[in-house]
Amino acid sequence: RPPGREGTPTPATTPAAEATAKRPPAREEEVERLRASIAARPAVDRARGLLMTAHGCDSDTAWQILRETAHLSGAPLPTVAAAIIADATRTGPHPPQKVRDALAVSLARHLP
């Protein structure tokens, strides 16, 4: 049967489409925030691995360093991760000074 005939949902009337269309603005913002978080995950994991390799720390310590650096610098976690990757791989611009300073403080706090 062609779309739109009785019993056959059209793309605009599928349950998923209806749920998306009825989603309140706050929920839509949350969905977008989660999508951005998922998209940033590979960079965060790579930065974590670079910290572990460069400083001989475990995964939890590397995570604490990343989070604290983001907090101290006021930069989002994906920005901190990208800065660490860029610095370690010598690609892209140098990390912003506020991120470098925050990273130095965090490393000093968490590593012997």
Side-chain angles (χ1 to χ4, degrees), residues 6-83:
E6 187 175 328
T8 305
T10 61
T13 62
T14 62
E18 287 178 13
T20 301
K22 294 179 183 178
R23 194 178 293 153
R27 177 83 61 172
E28 190 63 35
E29 290 172 13
E30 177 72 7
V31 168
E32 288 306 313
R33 187 184 64 75
L34 289 171
R35 283 185 182 144
S37 179
I38 290 168
R41 183 67 191 247
V44 171
D45 287 344
R46 185 168 178 205
R48 196 171 176 178
L50 288 168
L51 287 171
M52 292 166 60
T53 301
H55 300 285
C57 62
D58 63 16
S59 180
D60 289 336
T61 302
W63 176 244
Q64 291 172 359
I65 291 167
L66 280 170
R67 290 195 53 187
E68 185 172 313
T69 300
H71 176 75
L72 292 173
S73 68
L77 190 59
T79 300
V80 171

